[in-house]
Amino acid sequence: MSRKELLSKIGLRQDGRRAEELRRIRCKLGVFTQPDGSAYLEQGLTKVLAAVYGPHQVRGGRSKAQHDAAILNCQFSMAVFSTGDRKKRPRGDRKSTEISIHLRQALLAAVKVELYPWSQIDVFVEVLHADGGVFSACVNAATLALIDAGIPLKEYICACTASLANNNVAMVDISNQEEIIGGPVLTVVALPMSAKIVHMEMFQRFHLDHLPKVLNLALQGCKDIKVILDEAVRNHVEDIGSTTGWSNTTTKQ
Amino acid sequence: MLQNIHIRLAENRVNTSLAVNRRVPKIFTPGEIISEQREFMRGHGTYEEDIYLKASVAGVKEQVNKLISIRPLKSRYNGEIGDVVVGRITEVQQKRWKVDTNSRLDSMLLLSSVNLPGGELRRRSAEDEHMMRQYLQEGDLISAEVQNVFSDGSLSLHTRSFKYGKLSQGVMLKVFPSLIKRSKTHFHNLAVGASIILGNNGFVWICPTMSNDEDNVGGFVQNLEEVVNCILALAQSNVMLFDTSILYAYEESLKYNVVELLVPEAMVDVAILTQHRLNLCENS
């Protein structure tokens, strides 16, 4: 056997999934009490925490404040124990700065920042366990945390990865193992309800002819993820609402 | 001193939810279409796209005539005139203080809307402006009332009543503003010797009740920590905070000592019993 195959002859992947199958997603909103909004998301073995503070007064340097929109400040970091090799990752390194900027761009597409002039919204994401699709898990967790904080969004922002196996079959939600074996990885951040692509990123390459099919699968993945996140949000709102008796709303039962 | 320290795995975490099966109103999530007609006006938490009115936050619909808004279950504090708030001074400026009130912009406390020490009503002179920092400096806690809401959403506060003013000797807790029940009074003196200010902005101030008795000159009150822990337990399980719920929680927590009240099981137990008693009151 020369090298491991991404997709076996019977159409199963290394971890036993089919090509168009997502990993299990589990999520929880409101995991912390200190931030205004928080969320925990597990996508397969990738585990991410997100916390949102704000909108609040701009601290440190009034000059940054904008008169027509809130500042969206994102910070990405990885725990020292999140990958196989234990390594200290200072927050300012190039990779995490780049991911922070991409996260900010992705979120700005849906967060209605124009409602909060002179304010600032902070989004912090921490990767606890990196097992492929780290950026997409971060985007999904950040969306949940923003919803938990009650910050207006145009719609859900979902992210998903896709790859090409055996040079002709598209597959969705790439794990770390598959990244190592060496498939190209396409990360797509989309607004699934209006089917808009917000951000796209690719490592390695494949022929342009394959792009539509890989892209479509990634977009389908985003839509599937949206359904899962939506259900989690509804459960959370029901849970909180029925404990407080919906008393901070005027809707009487 | 030997203490038990509880460290547990995530899988052994206690479920703090008290949700019971009740009828649930329709929940809207961001991007969901509320109405396809143009005849409605858009309120908070909604936006228009094409011909649709869509939700932008997760919550339930509130409709007043033609105005539709979606109220999220949790958000930053949105001030209303007459609210009681607890805040922290962040900045001393010319003729005014800036106060952090958990709102999306810092609130303002004008020199002209405080009662200066000395009491009598008088014009604020330049001398008073120089003395501002002596009266309230950065980091001080105050209780105040919302006097006005500016067009940009920031609040103007006043402390022109003996109820309001600088806070000292007590504990401040931060909970979500949505957990504070709006009521006629937000100042409560509990029978257990603690006074509570339930700020509408989610800041709760707990201090020993001031009394004229000479026997507790030390100002040391045993029950303060228990009250603090009770409020934490209620807040963790999302029980609404008001005088009755806090009193019930305190009564239910008497079987635990202060340290035990920090164990998740005990916190949930207190919250469940409190919720149960509140439901009994509501139904009777």
Side-chain angles (χ1 to χ4, degrees):
Chain A
M1 191 171 159
S2 57
R3 68 194 264 271
K4 283 182 183 172
E5 284 187 327
L6 282 171
L7 201 64
S8 70
K9 287 198 183 67
I10 50 167
L12 291 176
R13 288 150 72 168
Q14 293 282 319
D15 47 9
R17 285 183 289 161
R18 303 220 169 260
E20 66 283 1
E21 220 172 327
L22 289 171
R23 288 177 288 175
R24 178 180 65 177
I25 297 179
R26 292 201 294 189
C27 44
K28 192 172 188 292
L29 282 83
V31 285
F32 298 127
T33 52
Q34 191 60 28
D36 295 291
S38 54
Y40 169 77
L41 183 123
E42 254 180 61
Q43 189 160 356
L45 288 174
T46 303
K47 298 181 176 95
V48 178
L49 274 172
V52 170
Y53 293 82
H56 61 77
Q57 181 92 23
V58 177
R59 306 255 178 250
R62 186 69 44 84
S63 55
K64 280 194 296 178
Q66 299 168 345
H67 67 92
D68 55 348
I71 303 170
L72 189 66
N73 171 31
C74 295
Q75 208 164 77
F76 168 90
S77 58
M78 285 175 95
V80 283
F81 48 80
S82 61
T83 51
D85 46 337
R86 191 181 179 86
K87 174 164 108 187
K88 209 175 186 96
R89 293 178 181 75
R91 210 153 278 157
D93 70 338
R94 270 185 75 158
K95 192 185 154 205
S96 52
T97 316
E98 188 187 335
I99 294 182
S100 301
I101 293 169
H102 288 167
L103 183 63
R104 181 172 173 274
Q105 287 168 346
L107 297 180
L108 271 178
V111 179
K112 294 176 84 65
V113 282
E114 69 275 10
L115 296 175
Y116 300 112
W118 304 111
S119 304
Q120 175 180 350
I121 300 170
D122 295 320
V123 179
F124 299 99
V125 283
E126 173 91 24
V127 178
L128 300 180
H129 191 161
D131 186 55
V134 168
F135 178 64
S136 61
C138 287
V139 172
N140 297 335
T143 306
L144 289 180
L146 284 168
I147 292 173
D148 185 46
I151 291 170
L153 304 175
K154 288 197 193 86
E155 58 177 279
Y156 285 85
I157 314 145
C158 294
C160 190
T161 54
S163 175
L164 193 72
N166 307 345
N167 225 358
N168 65 353
V169 187
M171 47 183 210
V172 77
D173 200 6
I174 307 308
S175 71
N176 189 37
Q177 202 183 12
E178 287 162 335
E179 273 175 21
I180 291 168
I181 293 173
V185 180
L186 177 76
T187 308
V188 176
V189 184
L191 304 180
M193 294 163 104
S194 51
K196 283 180 190 151
I197 295 174
V198 176
H199 177 94
M200 215 158 91
E201 193 182 4
M202 186 149 118
F203 294 103
Q204 299 183 33
R205 57 187 176 171
F206 50 69
H207 195 272
L208 191 60
D209 292 349
H210 297 301
L211 183 64
K213 115 179 125 188
V214 178
L215 187 57
N216 279 337
L217 195 64
L219 284 175
Q220 185 57 47
C222 289
K223 283 182 185 149
D224 295 342
I225 288 170
K226 186 244 151 191
V227 174
I228 297 168
L229 299 190
D230 193 48
E231 199 193 332
V233 170
R234 277 169 203 280
N235 286 338
H236 179 70
V237 172
E238 268 177 36
D239 195 36
I240 303 289
S242 47
T243 330
T244 56
W246 305 102
S247 51
N248 61 345
T249 60
T250 55
T251 319
K252 288 279 172 286
Q253 293 185 46
Chain B
M1 195 165 67
L2 198 68
Q3 291 273 350
N4 288 328
I5 300 174
H6 298 270
I7 300 174
R8 55 180 76 196
L9 293 172
E11 60 183 328
N12 299 331
R13 199 176 38 217
V14 177
N15 182 12
T16 57
S17 161
L18 301 182
V20 283
N21 269 332
R22 291 200 203 172
R23 207 169 65 80
V24 176
K26 172 136 177 58
I27 292 162
F28 290 90
T29 54
E32 193 173 342
I33 294 169
I34 305 169
S35 155
E36 300 189 2
Q37 284 115 36
R38 297 226 82 159
E39 62 196 61
F40 294 108
M41 287 160 65
R42 66 186 165 87
H44 290 297
T46 62
Y47 69 102
E48 272 168 15
E49 199 173 68
D50 305 328
I51 60 160
Y52 302 118
L53 189 65
K54 293 180 174 178
S56 64
V57 296
V60 280
K61 184 170 84 170
E62 283 174 21
Q63 189 165 359
V64 181
N65 296 327
K66 297 261 170 193
L67 179 73
I68 292 185
S69 49
I70 304 285
R71 176 90 66 97
L73 287 188
K74 195 164 96 184
S75 70
R76 279 259 158 167
Y77 169 60
N78 285 315
E80 286 170 34
I81 294 174
D83 281 358
V84 175
V85 296
V86 174
R88 192 183 287 279
I89 306 286
T90 55
E91 215 177 316
V92 183
Q93 295 177 334
Q94 197 91 38
K95 289 185 186 173
R96 64 184 186 186
W97 289 275
K98 285 283 187 156
V99 189
D100 175 18
T101 52
N102 202 25
S103 156
R104 62 192 182 81
L105 289 170
D106 278 358
S107 307
M108 225 177 276
L109 177 66
L110 295 174
L111 179 58
S112 59
S113 44
V114 299
N115 276 347
L116 290 173
E120 80 280 17
L121 291 169
R122 57 189 165 92
R123 287 175 63 92
R124 269 66 178 164
S125 58
E127 202 177 316
D128 287 325
E129 280 177 37
H130 291 133
M131 297 291 278
M132 275 174 72
R133 190 168 263 115
Q134 261 85 323
Y135 179 49
L136 288 172
Q137 60 173 336
E138 290 90 345
D140 281 354
L141 283 165
I142 56 159
S143 66
E145 188 180 295
V146 177
Q147 187 170 39
N148 202 357
V149 182
F150 294 117
S151 55
D152 64 347
S154 63
L155 309 173
S156 165
L157 309 175
H158 80 91
T159 61
R160 311 197 68 156
S161 160
F162 75 96
K163 290 191 292 186
Y164 306 124
K166 192 168 172 176
L167 300 171
S168 56
Q169 302 294 322
V171 188
M172 197 197 77
L173 282 179
K174 197 177 156 227
V175 300
F176 295 121
S178 55
L179 291 178
I180 306 286
K181 190 174 187 174
R182 283 180 184 279
S183 55
K184 264 186 194 149
T185 170
H186 286 259
F187 291 81
H188 301 291
N189 286 325
L190 297 188
V192 296
S195 291
I196 295 185
I197 304 174
L198 293 166
N200 281 108
N201 59 340
F203 288 1
V204 178
W205 177 257
I206 304 149
C207 61
T209 305
M210 295 298 165
S211 64
N212 298 325
D213 302 344
E214 290 301 312
D215 50 328
N216 57 355
V217 268
F220 179 78
V221 177
Q222 181 71 54
N223 303 326
L224 216 57
E225 301 84 1
E226 291 217 18
V227 177
V228 171
N229 288 348
C230 286
I231 295 177
L232 285 176
L234 295 182
Q236 189 192 260
S237 295
N238 291 306
V239 179
M240 293 300 278
L241 295 176
F242 52 106
D243 51 346
T244 325
S245 70
I246 294 169
L247 195 66
Y248 283 175
Y250 180 78
E251 285 168 15
E252 298 301 340
S253 70
L254 287 176
K255 61 183 169 191
Y256 300 107
N257 67 36
V258 183
V259 180
E260 282 167 354
L261 261 181
L262 291 172
V263 179
E265 280 88 358
M267 291 172 91
V268 177
D269 182 46
V270 168
I272 289 174
L273 291 170
T274 308
Q275 180 82 333
H276 186 63
R277 277 182 72 178
L278 288 173
N279 287 343
L280 283 179
C281 284
E282 211 175 278
N283 296 335
S284 60

